[in-house]
Amino acid sequence: MAKRARVSRALVSLVMRNSPNVSEQRRRRVLRAAEELGYRPNAYARSLASKRLHTIGVLINDVTNPYFGGVYSSFAAAAEKAGFDLLVAPGTRSADKEAALVRTLLEHRVAGLALLSPLMTTKELRSLTASWPTVLIGRDAALAGVDVVTTDELQAARLVLGHLTELGHRSIVHITGGPNRSASDRASGYRTAMRELGLEPSEISGAFSHEAGQEAAREVMRMPRLPTAVVAANDLVAVGAMGVFESSGLRVPGDISVVGYDDSQIARLDLVQLTSICQGVDHFGSAAVQLLTDRIADPDTPRVVERIETNLVIRRTTAPARRGQVRRRAV
């Protein structure tokens, strides 16, 4: 390419690194030659030349969940501004597969890791991140040198339950997201906030999926006395539950109010209009990239846990609590 542009190799390197110490005329000449030759910078070669790694490895818990799409978009935009490329490993809600995916990312000489709500055990996380700059997004874990950006789950639970109790609800069931740490933190927030209000917590085990919401709703329908409101672990769970309620003769929200979590695109659909917790994912990305770049620059800094406050977006699926019991079909 240097020969094509009639410049030195050193000048080509300066242009590719976007150095300001190049005249505009020569810069255009090099870029024109690169376009004519179909040249694309090699990230690995660039790392070797500059002695700086330019790629962040990203593990996404579940690529089918709209929430993670929003978090990833936020992270990708912030990483690009910071001058990093991304190498993405799509998880499949499998803790067993996650460790292998992270090892593959590390084999590609990444500068650091961003793990979006990993399901693997804390012991596995400690082993994989012991010698690598890492930020956890959406999950807290007490690991030395591993920074965290996550939701303030207690603040979120207080928002939801404050809204529902203002509407007169007292019998409020939580459908959990399963045994993973993120879901456990969410359930813990629910229990604490319920007890602060003088109410008895009631939980049904689930998972972060539409199908889990359907199954949990069937369990709700078998309860001797129906609750007046359900708080779901995420929007997929909420929508799954709503479908079962309505097909069983319950009106949402006339007979039972439903609250989701994530304020995903699903929640905003005209036919859904789900009341949901908005986690502020736009801030997740910038906060996570800042923590990770700080960690890359100085691996020995104390770990940081940034808990981001949420907002409750109120839509059509919550209303004043019903009076008395309702008629329902068998499920």
Side-chain angles (χ1 to χ4, degrees):
M1 184 165 61
K3 183 177 180 181
R4 181 70 167 255
R6 303 190 306 278
V7 298
S8 68
R9 290 183 179 180
L11 184 65
V12 169
S13 178
L14 288 172
V15 172
M16 290 300 115
R17 287 188 282 117
N18 202 28
S19 170
N21 302 318
V22 181
S23 71
E24 193 58 35
Q25 180 182 8
R26 289 189 172 187
R27 186 185 305 277
R28 284 198 300 267
R29 190 190 303 171
V30 170
L31 293 176
R32 184 167 56 249
E35 184 176 357
E36 291 170 353
L37 294 170
Y39 171 79
R40 295 291 182 275
N42 184 296
Y44 184 62
R46 179 162 54 108
S47 297
L48 291 177
S50 65
K51 297 183 180 179
R52 173 178 176 254
L53 298 174
H54 294 264
T55 303
I56 294 172
V58 182
L59 174 72
I60 301 177
N61 169 306
D62 179 8
V63 294
T64 67
N65 188 328
Y67 161 73
F68 290 108
V71 176
Y72 174 76
S73 295
S74 169
F75 186 85
E80 182 180 8
K81 287 182 180 178
F84 286 93
D85 301 316
L86 299 182
L87 184 62
V88 181
T92 55
R93 293 184 299 191
S94 170
D96 293 336
K97 293 179 180 178
E98 284 183 349
L101 289 170
V102 172
R103 290 189 187 96
T104 299
L105 291 173
L106 294 177
E107 287 171 1
H108 284 79
R109 290 178 53 84
V110 293
L113 293 170
L115 309 181
L116 277 59
S117 298
L119 297 174
M120 69 183 85
T121 65
T122 301
K123 181 179 179 181
E124 192 82 66
L125 278 172
R126 181 180 292 108
S127 172
L128 291 168
T129 63
S131 303
W132 230 270
T134 302
V135 62
L136 295 180
I137 304 175
R139 172 183 169 179
D140 192 1
L143 298 172
V146 175
D147 301 306
V148 172
V149 178
T150 191
T151 300
D152 187 333
E153 296 291 359
L154 180 56
Q155 182 261 348
R158 286 168 173 160
L159 276 181
V160 170
L161 296 174
H163 169 63
L164 290 173
T165 53
E166 284 179 4
L167 292 172
H169 295 277
R170 295 295 181 269
S171 177
I172 305 167
V173 169
H174 175 51
I175 302 175
T176 77
N180 62 81
R181 181 59 185 268
S182 299
S184 298
D185 290 346
R186 199 157 296 174
S188 177
Y190 158 81
R191 288 191 293 271
T192 299
M194 284 286 282
R195 288 171 181 140
E196 287 176 349
L197 292 165
L199 302 176
E200 187 63 31
S202 176
E203 298 175 36
I204 293 177
S205 297
F208 286 133
S209 69
H210 178 268
E211 295 78 12
Q214 293 175 318
E215 184 55 41
R218 295 185 186 102
E219 190 169 338
V220 169
M221 295 295 295
R222 291 191 288 269
M223 294 175 70
R225 188 173 183 83
L226 283 176
T228 62
V230 165
V231 178
N234 71 6
D235 292 343
L236 290 172
V237 174
V239 171
M242 285 170 57
V244 170
F245 291 149
E246 292 181 339
S247 66
S248 302
L250 295 185
R251 296 168 299 135
V252 177
D255 296 322
I256 189 165
S257 289
V258 178
V259 179
Y261 204 109
D262 292 338
D263 191 34
S264 63
Q265 290 181 340
I266 292 173
R268 301 173 215 148
L269 292 174
D270 290 342
L271 293 177
V272 179
Q273 288 297 297
L274 174 68
T275 296
S276 184
I277 279 287
C278 176
Q279 297 191 66
V281 295
D282 289 345
H283 185 53
F284 271 40
S286 57
V289 169
Q290 185 62 60
L291 288 176
L292 189 53
T293 53
D294 289 348
R295 176 70 53 191
I296 291 168
D298 185 359
D300 297 323
T301 57
R303 73 186 291 262
V304 175
V305 177
E306 184 166 347
R307 300 191 187 279
I308 297 176
E309 291 195 351
T310 64
N311 296 306
L312 180 65
V313 182
I314 299 172
R315 299 190 179 94
R316 76 162 188 89
T317 61
T318 50
R322 68 170 193 275
R323 295 178 180 274
Q325 284 289 78
V326 295
R327 299 177 65 182
R328 47 186 164 171
R329 301 180 193 137
V331 293

